Amino acid sequence: MQYLVGARSATIRFGDFTAVDRVDLEVGSGEVVGLLGANGAGKTTLIRMLLGLLIPTRGSVSLFGGRPSRATRRRLGYVPQSLGLYDDLTVGENWAFTTAAFGIAESTLPESVAGYRHELVGDLSLGLKRRLAFAVAFSHDPGLLVLDEPTSGVGPLSSSHLWEDIRASAERGTGVLVTTHNMEEAEQCDRLVVMAEGRVVAAGTLGQVIGDRHVVQVDCADWRGVFAALDGDGLIVQVHGSRLRVPGTPEHVAGLLHRHDLGGDVSAVPANLEEAFVDIVTKASPR
Amino acid sequence: MRAMVIKEFRQLLRDKRTLGLLVGLPVILLVVFGYAANFNVSKIPTVVVGPEAAESAAQLHAPFDVTEVDPVGNRATVESRLQDGKAAVGIVTGQNPVTALMDGTQLFAVQAAKGAFARMAQADVATGGKIPVIAPEVLYNPDLKTSWIMIPGLTGLILLFIGTLITSLGIVRERQAGTIEQLAVMPFRPWDVIFGKILPYLLLASLDLIAIVLLGMGLFGVPFVGSVVTFGIGALLFLLVTLGMGVLISTVSQNQGQAIQLAIMFVVPQILLSGLIFPVGAMAAGVRWIAYVLPLTYFVDISRGVMLKAEPIAGLWVPLVVLLGMAGAVLGLAVLRFRRDLAPSARHRGEDDFEPVAAAA
């Protein structure tokens, strides 16, 4: 079988700078693949390559089994970070333009945005704009959805609605490639591809990406004192209530606490995605 | 405040276009107003016809520049030379009084010629009256109305404004808003986007052109004696050049501010150097060549020639061919650059490099 979209050893250079370095990636029907990485990791550049907006310097990309072309793009729904909507057109006019571009003769504005038909898009809240951008991307029942930071800047409720739409679409067989640096969103993906400095540094299901990584959990009364001490020792400390979580081994953390005359229960616990991501990216980017 | 001033200078020094405008514009204005802004025509192309053509031509001195002496020619010969712009003044001899036909579309040349004839007559009276009486007759713009020569040229300025500035802003706005990326992944052919973007401006400019011509005729009594088709062809070619410049400017501008700067740099020299205000013939030779590389210079020739002189298409072949060449070059380059923005895959590499990604069986 052929994947909906794929990259094989795809590389792109801008002068001496390698923005995407030998990336392999595939998205199949009905699966949601999350492209996870910090800002500047190369996610958007990779997406632009997959869509044919940038030509790989080396390697190849394919869209629906062929080169990105007018015919293959007809089956694509794309929501860029900028949303790609016309602020000076109304909701209805934006919808009419896109459906006409995709050759849809008769279409009805989705219920989620129908109430704003006559509003200028520029006057809408960011959450509503994103909802419209999604509706527009879904308008022609695409085989593949490519979403670049789809929930950036929207509240948790809107974000939740958008993810419901993404999952519903995948259940109907649409492949979804979504870039994010939000860990909670990434956990909703079927597979993850983690990028750092233009390279894929981890890939697989949530469990595979986290692997058997553990972090050290510190239960203590004086969490502020412990936080200051461990942070001062250069550890990345996460606070969960009065519990602190840091990378390393229980023995090492206990030793540090002892050195600072601080107490607390120290134990190893399975890492979450964010901790695994920090570990993966830190090791991949020693700078 | 010192920090603010230093920051401002640092930003300014990095903004090469603004810097160019700050340095370049005063230099352009100095050159233009120093060498080109001249209403005094020092050379008037003149044709002399009729049985006493040779004698009459010998009596003509500067500013008259006798370009043709035709003893068998007549009034029709002169009218033909004036109509196709080969002469600004034509003297018909062999009759009394001798007639000096003048091209009223060349306002400053006619004023200079009238002055020269008056001086000649005065000098002749002082020396005993040997020169025959010359009866001046102004054709095409008998009352030498400024509005009659300005309005045909202004139609060009409006096309220039819409074609260059408004088009470039329209495309740059798409780039700034990020919608151009969305267009690039929609099932449009690059041509659909390019011409879909250009055609509304073409239509709008055409409507504006019709409105300004009708207003000029209605309000100022400007005549339209020539062929509408010839005028339309000239306007279309000129518009294609300006639209091409608009698209070209948009492909090298990241934001609307940059597009406006570049459009100003393109439009301002045309207002000053195209012959719209200052006659090209009166410009110093060092700057006159600039006029000949500006498209508006050729459209001004066409619009004045058709509207005021009923110049036929055959007489306008030079400006029409130059505009056609400019349109082909500018629009071609603009479309290629814009197309590259929309469909980089058009520059695809060898087929061998392509390999569809497929899952293992």
Side-chain angles (χ1 to χ4, degrees):
Chain A
M1 82 162 197
Q2 280 188 334
Y3 287 109
L4 300 175
V5 66
R8 176 147 307 160
S9 203
T11 302
I12 191 159
R13 289 196 193 93
F14 301 107
D16 293 334
F17 176 65
T18 304
V20 174
D21 192 6
R22 288 164 288 165
V23 166
D24 290 319
L25 177 140
E26 303 87 20
V27 179
S29 295
E31 69 171 344
V32 181
V33 176
L35 199 52
L36 191 61
N39 288 331
K43 307 185 298 287
T44 298
T45 306
L46 175 62
I47 280 194
R48 289 172 59 80
M49 245 195 309
L50 294 172
L51 299 177
L53 297 173
L54 291 170
I55 303 285
T57 313
R58 270 208 325 227
S60 63
V61 296
S62 70
L63 194 59
F64 298 106
R67 267 183 208 289
S69 66
R70 186 173 169 236
T72 53
R73 285 174 190 145
R74 197 173 277 283
R75 299 167 60 194
L76 173 78
Y78 174 48
V79 180
Q81 273 187 50
S82 60
L83 301 181
L85 298 170
Y86 291 94
D87 279 354
D88 50 355
L89 295 183
T90 64
V91 168
E93 287 164 345
N94 267 282
W95 176 262
F97 170 66
T98 308
T99 51
F102 281 95
I104 302 165
E106 281 187 28
S107 65
T108 313
L109 201 58
E111 209 175 298
S112 60
V113 290
Y116 304 93
R117 176 185 299 275
H118 301 296
E119 301 263 348
L120 283 177
V121 166
D123 294 339
L124 300 180
S125 68
L126 184 58
L128 272 172
K129 282 185 190 177
R130 288 209 179 271
R131 210 185 295 170
L132 175 62
F134 265 57
V136 162
F138 284 115
S139 65
H140 56 288
D141 198 15
L144 173 72
L145 269 173
V146 177
L147 313 169
D148 197 0
E149 306 279 357
T151 58
S152 173
V154 301
L157 191 62
S158 295
S159 175
S160 165
H161 285 314
L162 294 176
W163 270 95
E164 277 172 22
D165 290 343
I166 291 172
R167 292 292 351 167
S169 183
E171 278 164 23
R172 291 195 302 270
T174 305
V176 181
L177 177 62
V178 52
T179 75
T180 184
H181 47 225
N182 181 312
M183 300 302 150
E184 286 176 17
E185 284 181 13
E187 286 176 4
Q188 303 194 47
C189 298
D190 299 322
R191 276 196 300 122
L192 292 170
V193 174
V194 183
M195 287 185 75
E197 299 199 334
R199 286 177 290 116
V200 172
V201 289
T205 60
L206 179 66
Q208 287 167 334
V209 168
I210 295 174
D212 60 356
R213 285 180 180 79
H214 283 73
V215 293
V216 177
Q217 183 170 289
V218 183
D219 289 286
C220 52
D222 179 18
W223 69 267
R224 286 188 180 83
V226 172
F227 180 93
L230 296 178
D231 186 55
D233 285 329
L235 296 182
I236 298 168
V237 189
Q238 287 192 27
V239 182
H240 297 263
S242 62
R243 285 178 172 161
L244 304 181
R245 292 165 71 107
V246 289
T249 60
E251 296 75 22
H252 176 63
V253 174
L256 290 175
L257 292 178
H258 181 68
R259 195 151 59 83
H260 290 287
D261 283 334
L262 292 165
D265 294 331
V266 176
S267 58
V269 294
N272 61 29
L273 179 60
E274 187 167 353
E275 289 154 346
F277 174 76
V278 170
D279 183 47
I280 292 165
V281 170
T282 308
K283 283 177 181 160
S285 321
R287 280 174 298 165
Chain B
M1 192 174 78
R2 185 169 168 268
M4 191 72 195
V5 171
I6 290 170
K7 179 219 68 145
E8 207 60 31
F9 267 117
R10 282 184 173 148
Q11 286 179 307
L12 195 58
L13 289 173
R14 291 220 171 91
D15 185 356
K16 301 280 185 277
R17 290 178 202 221
T18 303
L19 216 54
L21 205 65
L22 279 174
V23 178
L25 206 60
V27 173
I28 290 172
L29 292 176
L30 186 76
V31 169
V32 166
F33 286 102
Y35 293 105
N38 183 14
F39 295 116
N40 299 318
V41 180
S42 56
K43 251 185 176 180
I44 304 169
T46 306
V47 55
V48 189
V49 301
E52 287 126 38
E55 295 85 334
S56 294
Q59 287 164 349
L60 292 173
H61 304 291
F64 297 105
D65 177 26
V66 180
T67 54
E68 186 182 347
V69 178
D70 183 1
V72 295
N74 53 23
R75 184 184 171 99
T77 315
V78 171
E79 283 183 359
S80 157
R81 300 294 182 273
L82 296 188
Q83 191 185 42
D84 56 25
K86 287 186 177 140
V89 172
I91 295 172
V92 186
T93 65
Q95 57 192 35
N96 195 11
V98 169
T99 310
L101 298 177
M102 292 182 267
D103 177 359
T105 66
Q106 300 191 41
L107 204 60
F108 300 104
V110 170
Q111 284 167 346
K114 279 184 162 179
F117 284 135
R119 283 194 301 277
M120 277 171 68
Q122 221 170 16
D124 185 50
V125 168
T127 56
K130 292 171 191 162
I131 299 177
V133 176
I134 295 174
E137 183 183 340
V138 180
L139 303 180
Y140 315 125
N141 181 12
D143 299 328
L144 294 179
K145 286 184 180 168
T146 308
S147 59
W148 281 31
I149 60 161
M150 284 304 287
I151 284 165
L154 277 176
T155 59
L157 198 59
I158 286 156
L159 297 185
L160 188 65
F161 181 74
I162 295 178
T164 305
L165 186 61
I166 309 293
T167 306
S168 64
L169 287 180
I171 297 173
V172 170
R173 197 168 54 216
E174 293 257 15
R175 180 171 291 116
Q176 260 185 293
T179 45
I180 207 150
E181 187 171 304
Q182 186 71 294
L183 293 178
V185 298
M186 280 177 161
F188 285 125
R189 287 170 297 221
W191 296 105
D192 295 334
V193 178
I194 294 165
F195 288 107
K197 202 73 205 168
I198 286 177
L199 276 175
Y201 296 109
L202 186 77
L203 185 69
L204 200 66
S206 305
L207 291 174
D208 254 353
L209 178 70
I210 293 167
I212 199 81
V213 168
L214 291 177
L215 276 174
M217 292 167 73
L219 291 179
F220 298 99
V222 181
F224 195 121
V225 294
S227 156
V228 174
V229 174
T230 307
F231 184 80
I233 292 170
L236 181 68
L237 291 176
F238 178 64
L239 196 50
L240 290 177
V241 180
T242 63
L243 286 169
M245 273 312 294
V247 177
L248 208 53
I249 286 172
S250 76
T251 62
V252 294
S253 303
Q254 292 306 310
N255 54 55
Q256 298 195 24
Q258 287 181 358
I260 290 171
Q261 278 182 346
L262 284 175
I264 287 173
M265 287 185 200
F266 179 66
V267 170
V268 169
Q270 309 219 44
I271 297 172
L272 299 170
L273 295 172
S274 63
L276 178 70
I277 300 169
F278 308 110
V280 174
M283 291 175 192
V287 292
R288 197 183 304 151
W289 66 269
I290 302 173
Y292 294 122
V293 297
L294 300 175
L296 186 59
T297 305
Y298 299 96
F299 182 70
V300 167
D301 273 359
I302 294 168
S303 60
R304 283 182 185 161
V306 173
M307 284 180 71
L308 304 178
K309 301 200 288 186
E311 207 170 340
I313 197 163
L316 290 167
W317 73 270
V318 173
L320 286 169
V321 167
V322 171
L323 283 182
L324 180 67
M326 283 181 173
V330 174
L331 201 61
L333 186 64
V335 166
L336 278 178
R337 281 194 62 100
F338 192 33
R339 191 169 190 273
R340 200 174 59 180
D341 284 355
L342 286 169
S345 51
R347 296 174 292 138
H348 64 76
R349 303 167 302 151
E351 289 295 319
D352 293 344
D353 295 336
F354 178 69
E355 186 184 353
V357 177

